């Protein structure tokens, strides 16, 4: 007869579920770093006793900041910008003697977010870096308790926690203005999934067009998959009025170029296509992509610098910001002359 497996030790999410509260509320009870209503505190303590939960190590680590673990929470680890930002955090943290853990939260679904937050808090981190590039990152940042040091990484400034920022809206303006300066009457935009209603890349594109007196055309909506760019490229090929396209990242721009070529058009002779991020393959692509270079590794390093200050109890500046660099290559050119009537 097979031996029965030992029951799984209770984790902080189990306590939260039994007590009918959120994981951050349990964390606040454990650390004592923020007030919790007596009725909720009693329910949490009762759940801890009932589950025989052992919070002492976690509580001591959170309260004393003696943990040597940094937690990174991200909605994706395969995309270029995400991976490079994580690398930047990890290299700086490792040089400071910290171990880095990575937790992926794929959707903003409340259960998924709660699971991710619980997993991170059970690791007893000294601090947390959240990649706020997408809706899951925004949801996690909202759910984390504020009694541990937190730094967000983003393309848009906000005031909730200290943030390392790349000023994507100004970079998108510069990219759009570059295309307009070549003589294009307007610039169409293929948007990647935003972290909120509208991200900096789309805001900068829209702002540059309006400043030039041009009404922004309707958006093309891509996913993170380059294949979605290829499909949109084929759609664009059926619209002769489209002469310039600004894509939300380089991988989507590569897909759009492939779709245009599949439909028999040339870039930039028929349509100029520009990207965003300066992916390592952008210069190798044919034609080489005009884009903006974002220092994602430096972004991660600046995020850890902010976090280091927060973990040591220093007064931390709210934002560390940098402007991406416009990189002009072969995929953008003046539009074809209009035929004489």
């Amino acid at each position: 007869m097979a031996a029965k497996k030992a029951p799984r030790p209770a984790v902080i999410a189990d306590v939260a579920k039994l007590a009918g509260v959120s994981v951050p509320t349990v964390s606040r009870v454990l650390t004592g770093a923020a007030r919790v209503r007596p009725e909720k505190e009693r329910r949490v303590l009762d759940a801890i006793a009932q589950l025989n939960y052992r919070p002492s190590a976690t509580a001591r680590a959170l309260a004393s900041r003696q943990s040597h673990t940094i937690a990174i929470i991200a909605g994706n680890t395969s995309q270029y910008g995400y991976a490079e930002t994580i690398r930047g955090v990890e290299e700086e943290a490792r040089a400071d003697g910290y171990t880095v853990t990575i937790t992926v939260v794929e959707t903003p679904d409340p259960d998924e977010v709660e699971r991710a937050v619980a997993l991170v808090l059970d690791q007893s981190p000294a601090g947390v870096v959240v990649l706020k590039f997408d809706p899951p990152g925004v949801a996690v940042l909202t759910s984390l308790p504020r009694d541990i040091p937190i730094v967000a990484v983003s393309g848009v400034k906000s005031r909730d926690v200290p943030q390392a920022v790349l000023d994507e809206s100004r970079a998108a303006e510069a990219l759009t203005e570059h295309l307009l300066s070549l003589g294009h009457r307007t610039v169409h935009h293929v948007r990647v999934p935003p972290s909120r209603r509208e991200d900096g890349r789309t805001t900068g594109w829209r702002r540059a067009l309006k400043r030039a007196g041009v009404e922004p055309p309707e958006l093309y909506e891509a996913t993170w998959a380059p294949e979605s760019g290829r499909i949109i490229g084929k759609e664009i090929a059926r619209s002769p009025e489209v002469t310039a396209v600004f894509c939300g990242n380089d991988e989507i721009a590569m897909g759009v170029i492939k779709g245009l070529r599949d439909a028999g058009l040339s870039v930039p002779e028929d349509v100029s296509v520009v990207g965003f991020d300066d992916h390592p393959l952008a210069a190798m692509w044919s034609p080489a992509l005009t884009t903006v270079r974002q220092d994602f590794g430096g972004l991660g390093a600046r995020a850890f610098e902010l976090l280091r200050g927060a973990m040591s109890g220093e007064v931390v500046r709210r934002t560390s910001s940098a402007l991406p660099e416009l990189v002009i290559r072969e995929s953008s050119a003046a539009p074809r002359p209009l035929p004489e009537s």
Side-chain angles (χ1 to χ4, degrees), residues 43-66:
R43 281 157 45 197
V44 170
L45 294 175
D46 287 348
I48 288 171
Q50 185 174 335
L51 294 171
N52 195 28
Y53 178 61
R54 306 288 185 181
S56 56
T58 298
R60 282 198 302 270
L62 288 171
S64 66
R65 307 293 183 235
Q66 293 304 305

Side-chain angles (χ1 to χ4, degrees), residues 24-41:
T25 297
V26 177
S27 174
R28 286 190 280 271
V29 172
L30 293 175
T31 63
R35 292 179 62 85
V36 176
R37 290 206 306 269
E39 185 267 336
K40 283 189 176 181
E41 182 177 21

Side-chain angles (χ1 to χ4, degrees), residues 261-311:
R261 283 178 172 166
D262 289 349
L265 297 185
S266 298
V267 175
E269 291 80 7
D270 295 307
V271 183
S272 288
V273 179
V274 302
F276 208 95
D277 291 342
D278 199 23
H279 188 284
L281 293 178
M284 301 294 106
W285 197 251
S286 182
L289 275 177
T290 293
T291 184
V292 292
R293 179 177 297 133
Q294 302 214 89
D295 182 6
F296 288 111
L299 179 67
R302 288 188 287 112
F304 181 75
E305 180 184 354
L306 291 175
L307 189 63
R308 181 196 290 121
M311 292 186 300

